[in-house]
Amino acid sequence: MLSQKEPIERHVLSVLVDNEPGVLGRVVGLFSGRGYNIESLTVSEIEHDKHRSRITIVTSGTPAIIDQIEAQLGRLVPVHRVVDLSNSGPMVERELALIKVAGKGEIRAEALRLAEAFRARVMDATIESFVFELTGKSDKLDQFISLMLPLGLVEVSRTGVAAISRGPKGM
Amino acid sequence: MAKKIAKQQMTGAEIVVRALLDQGVDTIFGYPGGAVLPIYDALFQQNELQHILARHEQGATHSAEGYARSTGKVGVVLVTSGPGATNAVTGMVDALMDSIPLVVITGQVPTHLIGTDAFQECDTVGITRAATKHNYLVKDVNDLARILHEAFYVARSGRPGPVLVDIPKDLQFAAGLYTGPENVSHPTYQPRVKGDEDRIRAAVELMASARKPVFYTGGGIINSGPEASEALRELVHATGFPITSTLMGLGAFPASDKQWLGMLGMHGTYEANHTMHDCDVMICLGARFDDRVTGRVDAFSPGSKKIHVDIDPSSINKIIKVDIPIIGDVGNVIKEMLRLWKDEKKKADKDALKDWWKQIGRWRSRKSLNYTGSKNIIKPQYAVERLYEATKGRETYVTTEVGQHQMWAAQYYHFEQPNRWMTSGGLGTMGYGLPAAIGAQVAHPDALVCCIAGEASVLMNMQEMSTATQFRLPIKVFILNNEYMGMVRQWQQLLHGARYSQSYSEALPDFVKLAEAYGGKGIRCEDPAELDQKIQEMLDYDGPVLFDCRVEKVENCFPMIPSGKAHNDMILGDAAAAEDIGSVISEEGKVLV
């Protein structure tokens, strides 16, 4: 097959769509129906007057599969543009996580010290818990969450990746 | 006419009828029900739109496909909510796979009941999201006209396909503003029609340097319109290259032409497949390297440079990596290729081409479509040949069901013109042929429309015979009756030790009596000597006919590229008889479909 000998790569795709009912369903259905991976997906309206939304998808596959994903997304009627940010120069990639940790005494103090080291912000505090907010690349979030695990990690909420290219040009 | 009253208040149901008329629709296929009653009421009060009543919504969609494929126009379907919509799904996926333009209008429960599990409610847009090119749920009656016009635009432009518009019943009653179809486009959906000039130039250079070229063409040429077929003929003649086609593309190039190699692929000719395998330049026009065409992908035409013209960017490099991809309308690109070829006085390498044709002649001499005849039993290939001989001089449209008979029809019935051959290629939908014949006959009332069928397939939508009778559609259903789901039986013989699990057509109806029960004519033929005369009897009858042609029961469809094999690993009928074919297919091949 065309695709099987090539290495699997991680790619970040930006998809500009009409914000109409079902558009997210079309995108997600395309990925599930054709067997592509979604590692993360974020979506929000970005231009209210024009009803435009931007979807950021982190996916993985061989270069041929990534090309197919791009072409298949481009085929959807409400899709304006698809840009493979991983293939178009340097980019900024960010994710936000809310992390709840519960504990008392030294464990609690240790969690706060680590949070400071990671520049996480305290969004909520009780005598026996914290909610931290942390923004950064996904692997930094992963690392912080794994450190919180023995310190009373209760739950995590992550936004998924938002990304944009560096420099003056838009997509 | 409508254009003078571009903006006008009317009910949603009236908007539907007006929009269809303004789109140039003269015929729709459908079935009424609770959620489309207002639209049926609006239809009742006008005389311009003809409604063909199907007997099942799947039949309506296939009829609309037959109408669309035989005319090049958009086929229109009107069905109710819930089961009406779900029954239409198979036809929509069929149209999606074969790139057939359809607009399917479904009724929906009233807006305030959506989401309450109301009677005959289903999530139609959710269910059909993957079954359509695009779909809409109308939420405001003032958007209805725009959405309908947009639906036609999306269905027919770019790579054509089915588009569904779901209209809640309250909007059909509500009054809204009608807007005409003028300047309808879509803000984002703007398919590219013109091919990249530099790439076309590079393609023409490559063609001129070819020593062993081949044109590999597909359904895209038919979809592009009759002009594309005309341009293709000119280009093929100007270059002197051999040409083959997919199942979907038959008729774009005349089968009687010297440069025609026959169909390629799993049941294609020996010469077509070997030419593909050994060529040095492949010019793929409006075809998509389907698995039925390529055989084993890593052994597909290993030594060739490939040019691929397709209007759908996702078809490029999907299965086979190509050297010169050109995105655009295939008719447009062929014309441009032809212009460059002539303007720059390109010449094919004559000596090389002569040797190439010599080699092709050697492959042709294997006569891969030969079969063993019989004086006692009607061979299915013979039946198709005789049908062809009896009908070739006439304006004939041929549809098929799916299975062995479909392949025999493709191999032994020969097409000279586009839009004359309608078969379910991508989805392989049994039950397609009879309703598709109805659609083609509605579009061409004076032409001869034949459905070449199998006895198992045709039963899947047999109820549509009632439609044929009601509308006096004299379709000729030519059933190659071998009392088996023949292709299933063939694969069971080849791959599953001849254990014929559930593939015998037990308890078949008497097709002659069945035809009569539907108000048509039934003819049975069991003797090769009577075949011609009975075919003539069928053709002479002015009304729908079921022709029960009793053929050899265990005939296999050859030549064949076994699953998982390359083009040059074809097996021919005579070789197949001599050895155990099951042993030819590898374990990996058995897993493939």
Side-chain angles (χ1 to χ4, degrees), chain A:
Chain A
M1 290 285 284
L2 183 84
S3 52
Q4 281 169 356
K5 287 172 203 146
E6 300 171 302
I8 304 243
E9 299 171 357
R10 174 181 180 273
H11 281 245
V12 182
L13 307 178
S14 259
V15 189
L16 211 56
V17 299
D18 282 327
N19 184 19
E20 61 179 37
V23 65
L24 193 59
R26 287 180 210 284
V27 170
V28 172
L30 190 157
F31 276 75
S32 61
R34 292 186 184 266
Y36 307 139
N37 296 315
I38 299 181
E39 284 180 14
S40 131
L41 185 149
T42 65
V43 57
S44 183
E45 193 167 71
I46 53 163
E47 286 177 274
H48 185 67
D49 313 343
K50 292 185 184 165
H51 302 287
R52 295 272 169 86
S53 288
R54 181 164 175 151
I55 304 176
T56 307
I57 305 168
V58 181
T59 183
S60 58
T62 62
I65 294 280
I66 301 290
D67 285 348
Q68 258 300 297
I69 293 174
E70 219 181 312
Q72 292 289 352
L73 284 168
R75 218 154 76 111
L76 297 178
V77 171
V79 168
H80 288 247
R81 280 209 71 190
V82 184
V83 173
D84 181 354
L85 288 175
S86 306
N87 267 357
S88 33
M91 63 167 156
V92 181
E93 192 186 320
R94 280 291 177 273
E95 186 178 1
L96 183 145
L98 297 171
I99 300 133
K100 184 178 285 184
V101 180
K104 285 184 174 173
E106 188 45 37
I107 285 184
R108 180 175 152 80
E110 179 61 20
L112 190 61
R113 273 196 294 275
L114 281 166
E116 279 164 8
F118 274 76
R119 299 198 187 139
R121 295 166 65 198
V122 176
M123 302 306 292
D124 178 67
T126 67
I127 293 188
E128 51 184 350
S129 72
F130 286 116
V131 173
F132 297 120
E133 176 207 298
L134 181 60
T135 307
K137 287 188 84 168
S138 301
D139 51 356
K140 178 181 162 185
L141 269 52
D142 291 342
Q143 199 192 355
F144 181 72
I145 291 164
S146 69
L147 286 172
M148 290 300 111
L149 208 56
L151 301 178
L153 181 73
V154 177
E155 61 177 340
V156 178
S157 174
R158 296 171 69 153
T159 58
V161 171
I164 204 160
S165 64
R166 289 182 187 271
K169 276 178 139 180
M171 75 178 272

Side-chain angles (χ1 to χ4, degrees), chain A residues 1-2 5-6 16 18 20-26 34 52 64 67-68 71-72 74-80, chain B residues 125 129 132-136 139 150 154 159 186-189 297-298 312-321:
Chain A
M1 290 285 284
L2 183 84
K5 287 172 203 146
E6 300 171 302
L16 211 56
D18 282 327
E20 61 179 37
V23 65
L24 193 59
R26 287 180 210 284
R34 292 186 184 266
R52 295 272 169 86
D67 285 348
Q68 258 300 297
Q72 292 289 352
R75 218 154 76 111
L76 297 178
V77 171
V79 168
H80 288 247
Chain B
V125 288
R129 201 167 280 144
T132 53
K133 182 174 171 184
H134 193 50
N135 61 15
Y136 303 84
K139 293 192 163 164
E150 204 175 285
V154 172
R159 179 175 177 177
H186 190 279
T188 54
Y189 182 69
V297 172
D298 59 4
D312 177 2
S314 76
S315 288
I316 307 275
N317 292 338
K318 182 169 70 176
I319 315 280
I320 299 291
K321 190 126 181 89

